[in-house]
Amino acid sequence: MTDQAQTSDALARDRRLQQGIDQYGVGSWELDLATRNLVLSVTARRLFGVAPDVPVDFDGFLSLIDPEDRERVAQAMQRAIDQGENLDIMYRVADRNQASHWLRSRGGMVREDGGAGYLCGIVLDVDQQKVLEQELRLQQNQLRSILDTVPDAMILIDGRGIMRFFSSAAERMFGLTEKEAIGQNISILMPRPDATRHDNYITRYNSTGERHIIGIGRIVTGQRKDGTTFPIHLSIGEMESGGERYFTGFIRDLTEYQQTQARLHELQAELVHVSRLTAMGEMASALAHELNQPLSAISNYMKGSRRLLAGSRDPNTAKIENAMERAAEQALRAGQIIRRLRDFVARGESEKRVESLAKLVEEAGALGLTGAREQGVVLRFQMNPANDLVLVDRVQIQQVLVNLFRNALEAMANAPRKELSASNARVADDMIEVTVSDTGSGIPDDVKAKLFQTFFTTKDTGMGVGLSISRSIIEAHGGRMWAETNSAGGATFRFTLPMAPGEDVSDGA
């Protein structure tokens, strides 16, 4: 074969190769470093938006590139020319006839003896790749935003216990930054001896598949960066990616929850204590009222008996009269003592402060409505913030609310419909009216008149002092309390409390 034939075959192969590359959507380019002229294939011209017969030099090529990417591309090409580096860069081009799109150029230097050489390579459209990257980045940012706002911490570890993801909530919870946590073993977040045992747990699970905590939430102890420990609720899930197992932990700090529970227990104990004291006061007041009348009668009978003895000639008459006089004096003295006790109980001062009704209802509900949701009771608390502040003794008003809530739950125990509501409203004379309604059995007419009497009860085990105490508390605050049957057939209790002084709580404010 002659040299001319070989050259012809080589040119034919080059044309076929170029056509195949062009059909695949890949363009070729060649920059002559001596002339600074650029030779572009048909596909390359199409990708750059250059007409077939328009000559292109290096500066003209740079003018096709988006201004934000132009300097970066020029520097990368210059490094490839000066230092012989491979060129691999993505950039945008802005065609006049279409929106800017992404291209990727790859190439390298070709040196020839006695010449400046050529920078040659290929160019292809990467718009679809960029769109996918942007969508993936958007999804990652959205997921990160969600995880940053979730109050529970989230930590991802691999099969060796090494942390791979550490959420913002985890940073706040454990006092570690994401940079400090990533790459560390999860055991640094655990106190001893849990920290030393954790790797063994993972190894055992990987070998046996036996679950102890995965998929089952449990309460454990966490350790902050400063070494302090705190209770957490830990739930763990697992996944596989690329043939490797990963574990995701969702962590909730129980410190505030336990503090709230402790506070509720304290409040409950305080309410029980005050309730007993108030019950004793009510009983003392009732006994004082009941005993005062027979003592007065005893004194009157003694005085009458002395008058009957005035005409008697019995030698012991003087002694009998003296004894009866002393007995009458002691009866009067006992009556005075009981009256003073009654006055003391009636005038007992309470510590009144400005309180939020919504807060009082919330705390009383936590105590008096325990188990309500389990019984299927629907709670509707509609507290108007414009009528919220009252001047009251917090514990005493909570005692009233707890008593009403418990009575409502008992009244609805066998009711087909179970709804309990609480609301507040402004009424005349700077008072706030609180309403508690249920859908229980209601109040029979023969019971309504005796409802607030001391020692009257419709319960088998009741003492009959709860509502009496409640009304006494409300009246001691300058309000009043009453009950009625509502449209649902249940009971509605209403009581009024003084509005906090200096507060504008008018409706529609």
Side-chain angles (χ1 to χ4, degrees):
M1 184 177 290
T2 64
D3 292 341
Q4 184 177 359
Q6 291 178 347
T7 301
S8 178
D9 288 343
L11 291 174
R13 284 196 301 270
D14 289 344
R15 284 195 300 270
R16 290 193 297 270
L17 178 61
Q18 184 63 55
Q19 289 175 356
I21 293 175
D22 285 340
Q23 289 176 1
Y24 190 70
V26 178
S28 61
W29 53 270
E30 178 183 286
L31 176 63
D32 187 338
L33 300 183
T35 64
R36 307 290 283 183
N37 289 329
L38 195 66
V39 178
L40 300 174
S41 69
V42 174
T43 300
R45 285 181 174 273
R46 178 177 57 80
L47 293 175
F48 286 117
V50 179
D53 56 346
V54 175
V56 181
D57 60 10
F58 183 68
D59 292 334
F61 162 73
L62 291 178
S63 67
L64 300 174
I65 298 175
D66 189 286
E68 294 184 3
D69 300 333
R70 192 172 297 161
E71 182 65 24
R72 181 168 56 87
V73 173
Q75 292 177 356
M77 294 183 73
Q78 195 62 48
R79 283 196 303 271
I81 295 170
D82 297 339
Q83 303 174 19
E85 294 182 0
N86 288 330
L87 178 69
D88 189 353
I89 188 168
M90 286 189 286
Y91 50 90
R92 290 163 293 180
V93 295
D95 188 0
R96 295 178 182 178
N97 301 322
Q98 59 183 359
S100 63
H101 57 283
W102 284 90
L103 300 179
R104 180 180 184 180
S105 289
R106 304 188 67 178
M109 281 296 301
V110 177
R111 301 289 184 181
E112 291 185 349
D113 295 337
Y118 299 87
L119 183 62
C120 307
I122 61 173
V123 59
L124 63 157
D125 191 331
V126 290
D127 256 348
Q128 186 176 5
Q129 177 184 341
K130 278 296 182 179
V131 169
L132 293 175
E133 288 179 358
Q134 291 174 353
E135 290 180 353
L136 179 60
R137 190 177 300 109
L138 177 60
Q139 292 176 358
Q140 290 175 336
N141 291 337
Q142 290 174 339
L143 178 59
R144 185 75 193 211
S145 176
I146 293 171
L147 294 175
D148 286 344
T149 56
V150 171
D152 292 350
M154 194 189 91
I155 301 174
L156 178 71
I157 65 172
D158 60 23
R160 296 175 292 115
I162 303 301
M163 289 182 280
R164 300 302 183 189
F165 178 81
F166 202 74
S167 70
S168 297
E171 290 182 321
R172 296 189 296 270
M173 187 179 296
F174 291 95
L176 285 167
T177 65
E178 183 180 22
K179 185 177 180 180
E180 291 174 323
I182 298 300
Q184 296 285 338
N185 193 289
I186 188 69
S187 61
I188 67 171
L189 306 180
M190 306 173 187
R192 293 182 179 276
D194 295 341
T196 56
R197 298 173 180 169
H198 184 264
D199 287 345
N200 293 333
Y201 296 155
I202 294 181
T203 302
R204 181 181 61 196
Y205 176 70
N206 287 332
S207 60
T208 66
E210 183 180 355
R211 296 186 174 191
H212 287 273
I213 186 173
I214 296 174
I216 306 171
R218 62 183 294 185
I219 296 176
V220 295
T221 301
Q223 179 174 284
R224 298 185 178 91
K225 181 180 179 180
D226 60 7
T228 58
T229 59
F230 61 107
I232 59 176
H233 183 273
L234 174 63
S235 299
I236 296 180
E238 64 173 322
M239 59 170 285
E240 284 192 11
S241 178
E244 185 173 357
R245 182 173 286 167
Y246 294 90
F247 302 94
T248 305
F250 295 91
I251 304 168
R252 177 171 299 175
D253 188 344
L254 297 181
T255 303
E256 184 176 351
Y257 172 79
Q258 291 192 349
Q259 290 174 346
T260 301
Q261 291 299 309
R263 175 60 187 139
L264 286 176
H265 287 313
E266 292 175 3
L267 181 60
Q268 189 172 24
E270 188 178 2
L271 280 171
V272 170
H273 177 65
V274 172
S275 179
R276 288 174 177 171
L277 291 178
T278 308
M280 290 175 62
E282 282 290 314
M283 293 176 67
S285 178
L287 289 173
H289 174 74
E290 298 296 330
L291 292 176
N292 195 51
Q293 292 181 351
L295 286 173
S296 297
I298 292 172
S299 177
N300 291 333
Y301 281 128
M302 292 291 184
K303 292 178 180 179
S305 298
R306 285 183 58 205
R307 286 194 295 271
L308 292 175
L309 289 172
S312 176
R313 297 180 180 180
D314 191 304
N316 294 319
T317 297
K319 294 181 179 179
I320 295 174
E321 288 180 346
N322 184 54
M324 296 185 73
E325 182 177 359
R326 291 181 178 276
E329 290 175 354
Q330 292 301 316
L332 290 173
R333 181 170 179 269
Q336 292 172 352
I337 292 173
I338 289 176
R339 278 194 296 273
R340 286 199 297 271
L341 174 62
R342 186 179 180 186
D343 292 340
F344 171 77
V345 172
R347 291 197 300 266
E349 293 296 328
S350 60
E351 185 178 0
K352 297 177 182 178
R353 298 179 179 177
V354 176
E355 301 285 353
S356 165
L357 264 177
K359 188 68 174 177
L360 295 177
V361 170
E362 178 186 350
E363 292 183 352
L367 297 175
L369 296 174
T370 302
R373 296 191 184 278
E374 288 76 5
Q375 298 175 26
V377 178
V378 178
L379 305 178
R380 304 184 189 278
F381 290 167
Q382 300 173 335
M383 307 304 295
N384 187 345
N387 307 316
D388 188 51
L389 299 181
V390 289
L391 184 64
V392 297
D393 182 295
R394 177 181 59 84
V395 175
Q396 289 187 354
I397 299 305
Q398 285 180 338
Q399 180 186 347
V400 172
L401 290 167
V402 167
N403 185 62
L404 294 180
F405 289 160
R406 287 177 175 169
N407 287 348
L409 289 185
E410 293 178 5
M412 294 187 294
N414 299 317
R417 175 187 169 195
K418 300 179 181 181
E419 292 185 10
L420 188 150
S421 63
S423 61
N424 62 326
R426 170 81 178 275
V427 293
D429 301 325
D430 294 332
M431 301 293 285
I432 304 296
E433 181 180 292
V434 181
T435 303
V436 177
S437 297
D438 63 55
T439 56
S441 55
I443 308 171
D445 293 336
D446 59 335
V447 172
K448 190 177 297 184
K450 306 175 185 178
L451 198 59
F452 294 98
Q453 289 183 7
T454 307
F455 306 128
F456 172 79
T457 181
T458 59
K459 304 175 186 177
D460 295 336
T461 59
M463 293 181 60
V465 294
L467 288 176
S468 175
I469 291 172
S470 296
R471 187 173 65 173
S472 297
I473 290 174
I474 297 303
E475 291 177 348
H477 281 76
R480 64 189 188 95
M481 186 176 193
W482 68 100
E484 58 195 33
T485 300
N486 56 46
S487 59
T492 294
F493 285 84
R494 305 179 188 273
F495 60 89
T496 58
L497 295 171
M499 181 181 68
E503 297 291 338
D504 183 10
V505 293
S506 59
D507 291 335

